[in-house]
Amino acid sequence: MARYRISSSRPASRLAAAALAAGALVLTIAGCSPSASPTSTPAASTSTSTPTGTSTPRPTGTSTSAPVDGQCDTASLSGSIQPGGGGAAGSVEVTLVLTNNGATECALQGWPGVSFVGDGNGTQLGAAADFDRSTPHPTVTLQPGGTAQAPLKIVQALNYSASDCNPKQADGFRVYPPGSTASLFVKDADVTACQSNSMSLLTVGALVPGA
């Protein structure tokens, strides 16, 4: 009777085939799973902040008005305080007058920046003036010797408690002509300021042609 010899390589072949099938299944499952998102590159910063120590602070009380053609140079101007139209209870209204001392005409337009100063050295006392934007603000042309004027309302410091106001006699006002970051001093020793920055005693209107 013939005997058949069983090859020992057949089980190994079956094992290899099973291993290949299992590997294919693993690859199929891996292919169906969501792929990991690639690491994203952070967006470039769009911050426009000024580097520390390089910014130029806006002088307190500076007018927000834009410069105009032929604008008056602050160095060619002088200022004075003239009696105004009275004022409501607890306040007084005076007139701030700017005079063109230059040899040529120049122009101003808008609201001047105004604040109390004292200590004999121009130290600002309290908050700067608010702008009364309800008033007209035409471009004012000043001939040599010509003037522009603005109403300036001053609330009496004594309307407030000493603890809230911290009153102090002022030397006058620092005035920034509209559109300028250079100021001039206008003397007025008859005014009292609140040194507290939380209180604004001043309200200034726009410049108009002088009387």
Side-chain angles (χ1 to χ4, degrees):
M1 181 174 180
R3 295 181 179 179
Y4 293 95
R5 185 179 180 182
I6 299 174
S7 174
S8 60
S9 63
R10 184 168 296 177
S13 298
R14 290 178 179 175
L15 291 175
L20 289 173
L25 178 62
V26 170
L27 290 174
T28 301
I29 294 173
C32 294
S33 62
S35 60
S37 299
T39 303
S40 59
T41 303
S45 172
T46 57
S47 172
T48 57
S49 58
T50 305
T52 303
T54 62
S55 61
T56 302
R58 187 177 183 84
T60 303
T62 301
S63 169
T64 58
S65 302
V68 295
D69 291 339
Q71 179 171 296
C72 296
D73 185 353
T74 300
S76 70
L77 297 173
S78 61
S80 62
I81 296 294
Q82 304 296 331
S91 67
V92 62
E93 187 172 292
V94 297
T95 300
L96 169 65
V97 179
L98 298 180
T99 301
N100 177 16
N101 298 315
T104 58
E105 71 174 30
C106 61
L108 294 171
Q109 194 237 8
W111 294 261
V114 182
S115 58
F116 289 113
V117 291
D119 291 339
N121 58 8
T123 298
Q124 181 167 322
L125 304 177
D130 294 325
F131 297 142
D132 179 2
R133 297 187 181 276
S134 67
T135 58
H137 52 285
T139 298
V140 182
T141 300
L142 285 70
Q143 299 297 328
T147 62
Q149 64 185 45
L152 179 62
K153 179 182 177 181
I154 308 170
V155 176
Q156 300 291 342
L158 298 180
N159 289 350
Y160 305 95
S161 67
S163 59
D164 290 336
C165 171
N166 191 12
K168 186 181 181 93
Q169 192 75 20
D171 299 327
F173 304 95
R174 177 183 293 122
V175 176
Y176 290 91
S180 177
T181 56
S183 65
L184 55 94
F185 170 67
V186 180
K187 184 177 180 180
D188 188 347
D190 295 328
V191 289
T192 301
C194 283
Q195 297 182 80
S196 170
N197 287 326
S198 64
M199 294 183 177
S200 178
L201 304 185
L202 303 172
T203 304
V204 65
L207 289 165
V208 296

